[in-house]
Amino acid sequence: MRISVAADSKDGVAERVVAELRGRGHEVVTHGALNDGERDDWAWACELAARDVSEGRADQAVVCCWTGTGASIAANKVPGVRAALCVDAYTADGARKWNDANVLALSLRLTSDVVLAEILDAWLAGRPSSDAGDVANISHLDDI
Ligand SMILES: O=C(CO)[C@H](O)[C@H](O)COP(=O)(O)O
């Protein structure tokens, strides 16, 4: 897959996200602090990654900030994006299975290297279940 990754800092697991995805064979596009000289602004960088998904330049995105909250809020402002802040593999699996989430939000502070690998395994293996059809019940909010 082609996956956009945004972060407002290289702290924590930011660069590890990119390495883990590339190591799994994915094509990675980076935004924000992951690119030398680019803005280290979470709202700006995470919007870019989310727009890559909504405008078809990426299949999925991973958005990161220190807490993960701003990253998820910024991404969820973009129409067609369903960003889920995931703290463990169970949440990541549920986000794909039940919410058909297309953007993974992570906390750079909270996510350890080990948990990151578990989250990515679950996220990348996850497929929307029939329950994910409930997502249609919120799609009208994209127009607001
Ligand atoms: O977690 C975040 C937003 O949700 C940011 O990473 C945190 O606020 C730090 O940002 P800044 O370096 O701009 O103060």
Side-chain angles (χ1 to χ4, degrees):
M1 281 195 294
R2 191 171 162 91
I3 302 178
S4 274
V5 179
D8 66 340
S9 157
K10 284 186 177 174
D11 292 340
V13 290
E15 292 178 297
R16 186 133 187 146
V17 171
V18 176
E20 288 274 353
L21 291 172
R22 287 190 173 138
R24 288 165 162 81
H26 298 285
E27 184 186 351
V28 175
V29 178
T30 54
H31 296 290
L34 293 165
N35 297 337
D36 289 337
E38 207 167 279
R39 285 171 65 178
D40 57 355
D41 173 336
W42 55 266
W44 179 82
C46 295
E47 179 190 345
L48 285 182
R51 286 198 183 280
D52 282 346
V53 174
S54 73
E55 294 168 14
R57 289 183 295 276
D59 301 297
Q60 294 185 355
V62 181
V63 294
C64 311
C65 66
W66 194 237
T67 58
T69 54
S72 62
I73 290 168
N76 273 318
K77 291 281 185 184
V78 175
V81 163
R82 294 174 299 282
L85 175 56
C86 295
V87 295
D88 62 12
Y90 184 86
T91 311
D93 177 59
R96 293 286 296 125
K97 188 164 49 182
W98 296 315
N99 313 133
D100 193 12
N102 51 9
V103 174
L104 168 64
L106 295 173
S107 164
L108 296 175
R109 185 187 78 84
L110 199 63
T111 312
S112 69
D113 290 355
V114 171
V115 169
L116 172 66
E118 292 173 358
I119 287 173
L120 291 178
D121 284 344
W123 177 269
L124 294 168
R127 296 286 177 273
S129 71
S130 54
D131 286 354
D134 291 345
V135 162
N137 296 333
I138 58 167
S139 59
H140 64 286
L141 298 173
D142 284 343
D143 300 330
I144 293 174

